[in-house]
Amino acid sequence: MKVVILAGGYGTRIGEETHLRPKPLIEIGDWPIICHIMSIYSKYGFHDFIICLGYKGYMIKEYFAHYFLHHSDVTFDFRNDNQVTFHNHNAAPWRVTLIDTGKDTGTGGRVKRIQKYVGEDTFMLTYGDGLSDINIEQLVKFHRTHKKLATITTTQPPGRFGALDIANGNTVTGFQEKPKGDGGWINAGFFVMEPGVFDYMAGDETVLEKEPLEGLAKANQLMAFKHTGFWQPMDTLRDKNYLEELWKSGKAAWATSRT
């Protein structure tokens, strides 16, 4: 099953980093976040990726063009027509297809553009900036049981601030550090989709989170897979620093044996 990753946005809310490189190449622990995401899927045996490029997409192409070299010991023999021999490579077993889907294309438009690379098979979809300890195997199994066109993973993000437990008028009885939010479930960005979803996407201007998902929901073709574990997007520099702190402290819940 192919995994489609949306990696073409401008990342304006983390402009401190993205004026130099696309958001998916921002590093967490000296490794681009897109590789962390790919490792989540690879842990469950999904190694075939289609990456939707846009803003500074050439940099993502250049990264993967040199990926094998950077994860190997290497001998350059200039005496024999610059013969190159790789040793002890530690490269992931990935097949990566990089598609230019336009600089200003909407998220749904980007997915529509890679339709021919997906074909008539079930595929997975995610954003190039969100990390989670989601169980991909369980997600796929859930999708296959309900026979609908799409599954969206949902989560309840933590509150931004701590909350006080108050009882008996004004008596503080406890303190909750960043409790769950208001009880609402939000889009966590890990999808499983059937090729029929392409019928809900029009041109480049299509925003995945608008007409396609709303249309699927209205047609009773969208099911929610509830994830109660770790989930964190990298929307801002504050988010990036938080993920970096988790990584350095050994508390990166999304980490796999490869990362």
Side-chain angles (χ1 to χ4, degrees):
M1 189 184 300
K2 293 181 173 64
V3 181
V4 179
I5 301 178
L6 293 167
Y10 285 94
T12 53
R13 286 187 288 178
I14 191 170
E16 302 93 336
E17 296 272 356
T18 54
H19 74 287
L20 295 173
R21 53 188 168 176
K23 190 197 285 190
L25 290 185
I26 295 176
E27 295 177 346
I28 304 297
D30 298 324
W31 215 34
I33 191 170
I34 193 169
C35 290
H36 286 273
I37 294 168
M38 293 166 71
S39 289
I40 294 171
Y41 286 96
S42 194
K43 173 183 176 181
Y44 294 96
F46 299 101
H47 309 299
D48 197 345
F49 298 91
I50 300 171
I51 301 178
C52 301
L53 305 177
Y55 173 69
K56 294 187 181 295
Y58 68 92
M59 296 184 71
I60 298 178
K61 288 182 180 179
E62 290 174 353
Y63 175 82
F64 284 106
H66 297 96
Y67 175 84
F68 193 85
L69 173 64
H70 291 166
H71 288 78
S72 306
D73 296 331
V74 60
T75 297
F76 295 98
D77 190 345
F78 304 120
R79 301 167 301 178
N80 294 296
D81 298 322
N82 196 28
Q83 180 177 321
V84 180
T85 305
F86 293 98
H87 319 277
N88 304 320
H89 75 82
N90 189 37
W94 296 336
R95 181 176 187 270
V96 184
T97 302
L98 302 161
I99 306 299
D100 184 358
T101 56
K103 186 177 289 187
D104 298 307
T105 307
T107 47
R110 294 190 191 283
V111 178
K112 183 70 172 180
R113 283 204 187 191
I114 56 86
Q115 181 175 0
K116 67 179 181 180
Y117 298 98
V118 170
E120 297 302 316
D121 299 324
T122 305
F123 67 99
M124 287 184 279
L125 170 70
T126 194
Y127 303 105
D129 62 357
L131 296 173
S132 176
D133 62 353
I134 181 172
N135 187 311
I136 299 297
E137 182 179 5
Q138 291 180 3
L139 169 63
V140 172
K141 185 179 296 184
F142 172 79
H143 176 78
R144 287 173 172 161
T145 61
H146 61 62
K147 308 299 182 182
K148 305 291 185 179
L149 287 180
T151 295
I152 179 174
T153 298
T154 61
T155 190
Q156 291 178 299
R160 182 175 178 182
F161 304 103
L164 297 175
D165 291 326
I166 300 176
N168 301 322
N170 296 317
T171 302
V172 177
T173 59
F175 183 84
Q176 304 175 46
E177 184 177 356
K178 295 184 178 180
K180 290 294 183 181
D182 59 7
W185 292 85
I186 67 168
N187 174 10
F190 292 85
F191 302 87
V192 185
M193 295 179 166
E194 299 299 326
V197 300
F198 290 115
D199 295 337
Y200 291 79
M201 301 170 191
D204 284 355
E205 72 285 352
T206 305
V207 177
L208 176 68
E209 301 77 13
K210 296 293 185 180
E211 291 86 356
L213 292 184
E214 291 174 358
L216 287 164
K218 187 175 181 180
N220 194 31
Q221 288 295 322
L222 182 63
M223 297 292 287
F225 176 78
K226 293 182 177 180
H227 174 64
T228 57
F230 176 85
W231 173 81
Q232 177 65 49
M234 189 182 68
D235 291 329
T236 65
L237 185 59
R238 175 179 177 172
D239 295 332
K240 190 262 185 184
N241 291 337
Y242 173 61
L243 291 169
E244 189 72 29
E245 289 172 6
L246 291 176
W247 181 264
K248 290 180 178 179
S249 66
K251 298 178 181 178
W254 71 87
T256 67
S257 59
R258 174 159 295 278
T259 55

